[in-house]
Amino acid sequence: MFQRQNRFEQQRRAEIPMGPRPVERRATPEVAKPTFPEKCELLISRYEKQRPTIEEIAHHAPRGLYTPAEIEQHLAYTQRLESKFRGVPQTPEDVSILKRSQFAEAFLATRIEDEGWFGEECVVFVTTRHDDVGNGVDFVLEWQSGDEEDVQHYQLAVDVTTATSRSILDGKSSAIADSIRGKAGGPRGPKYLSEVAYYRSPHTDEVQRLTFLPKVTVALSPDQVDRAIHLVGAKQSMSQAEQKEMVLPLIAETLAQLQEQVVMAIREVCNKYTAFLPLVGEKVATPFLQELAVIGEQLRHAAATGKAEDLFAVYDAFTELTDGPLREIPVPEAYKDSIFVVHALVPVTARVHQAFLEQKKRFAQPRSLTKGK
């Protein structure tokens, strides 16, 4: 064992009068960094390589979509936020939380696309750092459907979190609720739903801004993250039972969030028009108010049953009214935006609902029929 030199004995032999004993400066022991499986680090690295830069997206953008001043502003904003985070001392616990968060995001995005959790037509776009830190969107799911003459694309923003704090999760839900009601945004006016400034379609390579973009928060529990780390670290495939345990609840929770948002969005439109229509005259307003009351009742029933099919039936009645005679009523622009929020939410909800039914059917089959898929 290493013995420190005895300064007292040295001074005695040299007959040097001892002065005040100096304060001993102990070397600060190095804190062991939390270990993380190499294969998990590799998964994060591969995932991050898919993240485009603002410049890469802008290079392929149609002329005039982004101005040089806007790009410069977004680059500076992102750099300012990231430098702020880098300047904060990190404890070993902070490092571990960050790693687990990065891994959870990479794991979900990879499995969703590689294993078709949200359908075979669903692919993943990893957002730029600007949209990640600025708009709170980790990645975007995009579905493609239809034939060659009429191809449709639908997008869903995903915010992955490993937070377990109720206040953090409630804060994310409240932010989404505010965006549905038009209470989000700043001096430039209300912002509805979410947005991604720099988007390149994984299906078509088309560069565009995404606005009125539905968004969900996907939360993974500590146990789920631990299990995923073990699977990737040990290079093991998920068993049928493990997939069922993770995939079905994941899609069900995503669907539940979207259904709740649709209910909220339709109710917002009904409330706005119910308050506004009497101002245009009783004769004109009465028929519309009666139809809105019927839709409101149907909406309460759909919310109570929790069945997507009931909600889609409400949407049909809602569309028939809002895209029909109600369009002739002059209303504030914000009312039209609220209707557009509903139209943005429902098609994506339908895609997730379809994926849920497909996976439910898949896991209901005998194991021998699903083995190897």
Side-chain angles (χ1 to χ4, degrees):
M1 182 175 180
F2 175 74
Q3 298 289 334
R4 190 164 44 230
Q5 290 182 341
N6 191 322
R7 180 174 177 272
F8 174 76
E9 290 296 328
Q10 290 178 331
Q11 288 179 323
R12 184 179 178 182
R13 284 195 297 269
E15 296 182 350
I16 301 175
M18 288 185 62
R21 183 168 181 169
V23 177
E24 184 178 20
R25 299 186 180 276
R26 296 178 179 270
T28 304
E30 287 191 11
V31 179
K33 295 182 179 180
T35 58
F36 209 70
E38 183 179 351
K39 290 184 175 63
C40 294
E41 294 274 14
L42 184 60
L43 178 68
I44 295 173
S45 177
R46 287 174 176 170
Y47 172 75
E48 287 298 328
K49 286 180 180 178
Q50 299 178 52
R51 190 182 303 281
T53 64
I54 289 178
E55 295 93 335
E56 288 170 345
I57 296 293
H59 177 72
H60 295 90
R63 183 180 297 274
L65 183 59
Y66 309 110
T67 66
E70 181 183 30
I71 293 173
E72 190 64 33
Q73 179 185 4
H74 288 166
L75 286 169
Y77 170 76
T78 306
Q79 186 177 13
R80 188 165 61 250
L81 280 181
E82 292 192 324
S83 62
K84 180 180 178 181
F85 294 144
R86 284 194 296 266
V88 178
Q90 290 187 324
T91 65
E93 184 180 5
D94 293 333
V95 174
S96 176
I97 291 174
L98 178 60
K99 280 290 184 186
R100 289 171 65 86
S101 177
Q102 292 173 327
F103 170 79
E105 182 182 331
F107 177 81
L108 277 180
T110 303
R111 294 302 172 100
I112 285 173
E113 182 163 317
D114 291 351
E115 299 181 4
W117 285 3
F118 280 83
E120 295 300 326
E121 294 297 328
C122 180
V123 291
V124 174
F125 171 80
V126 183
T127 60
T128 64
R129 290 299 296 164
H130 168 75
D131 286 309
D132 184 3
V133 300
N135 289 318
V137 179
D138 294 318
F139 54 81
V140 177
L141 305 183
E142 180 176 282
W143 291 265
Q144 175 175 281
S145 64
D147 51 34
E148 294 182 1
E149 296 180 357
D150 184 26
V151 178
Q152 300 291 327
H153 295 94
Y154 310 99
Q155 293 94 10
L156 174 64
V158 178
D159 174 22
V160 181
T161 182
T162 55
T164 56
S165 167
R166 190 71 260 171
S167 62
I168 293 178
L169 297 176
D170 287 346
K172 291 178 179 291
S173 297
S174 296
I176 291 176
D178 286 345
S179 73
I180 290 173
R181 299 189 180 101
K183 294 183 178 180
R188 296 183 180 180
K191 183 178 74 172
Y192 294 87
L193 299 179
S194 187
E195 64 180 37
V196 167
Y198 299 91
Y199 185 74
R200 190 177 185 185
S201 169
H203 284 109
T204 67
D205 284 338
E206 178 186 359
V207 173
Q208 58 186 306
R209 296 178 192 268
L210 295 181
T211 58
F212 285 88
L213 176 64
K215 178 181 177 180
V216 293
T217 300
V218 175
L220 289 186
S221 70
D223 287 343
Q224 287 176 315
V225 177
D226 287 342
R227 182 57 185 157
I229 289 174
H230 172 75
L231 286 170
V232 174
K235 206 174 182 179
Q236 294 179 359
S237 299
M238 296 178 73
S239 67
Q240 181 77 2
E242 288 168 335
Q243 288 189 51
K244 182 178 180 180
E245 187 177 341
M246 176 173 282
V247 176
L248 279 181
L250 171 67
I251 305 177
E253 171 58 25
T254 301
L255 180 60
Q257 287 186 44
L258 288 171
Q259 288 183 223
E260 184 179 351
Q261 292 175 29
V262 172
V263 170
M264 191 183 305
I266 294 178
R267 184 176 292 136
E268 181 71 13
V269 173
C270 290
N271 290 341
K272 283 182 176 179
Y273 275 85
T274 299
F276 177 81
L277 285 172
L279 301 178
V280 303
E282 183 178 349
K283 186 177 180 180
V284 175
T286 299
F288 292 127
L289 291 174
Q290 291 173 346
E291 292 189 59
L292 286 171
V294 172
I295 290 176
E297 187 59 37
Q298 293 174 336
L299 190 64
R300 282 188 287 274
H301 173 73
T305 65
K307 294 181 179 179
E309 295 84 356
D310 291 340
L311 193 56
F312 296 149
V314 177
Y315 176 65
D316 289 340
F318 173 86
T319 301
E320 185 176 347
L321 176 62
T322 57
D323 288 359
L326 200 60
R327 293 184 64 179
E328 305 303 320
I329 304 296
V331 297
E333 196 64 31
Y335 288 33
K336 299 177 183 178
D337 287 339
S338 293
I339 292 176
F340 196 77
V341 167
V342 179
H343 291 327
L345 282 166
V346 174
V348 173
T349 305
R351 298 300 301 183
V352 175
H353 178 245
Q354 180 181 345
F356 177 70
L357 294 180
E358 290 173 353
Q359 293 292 1
K360 192 175 180 181
K361 180 180 179 181
R362 170 195 169 200
F363 289 118
Q365 293 177 352
R367 185 175 181 179
S368 58
L369 297 180
T370 58
K371 186 176 180 181
K373 290 189 178 182

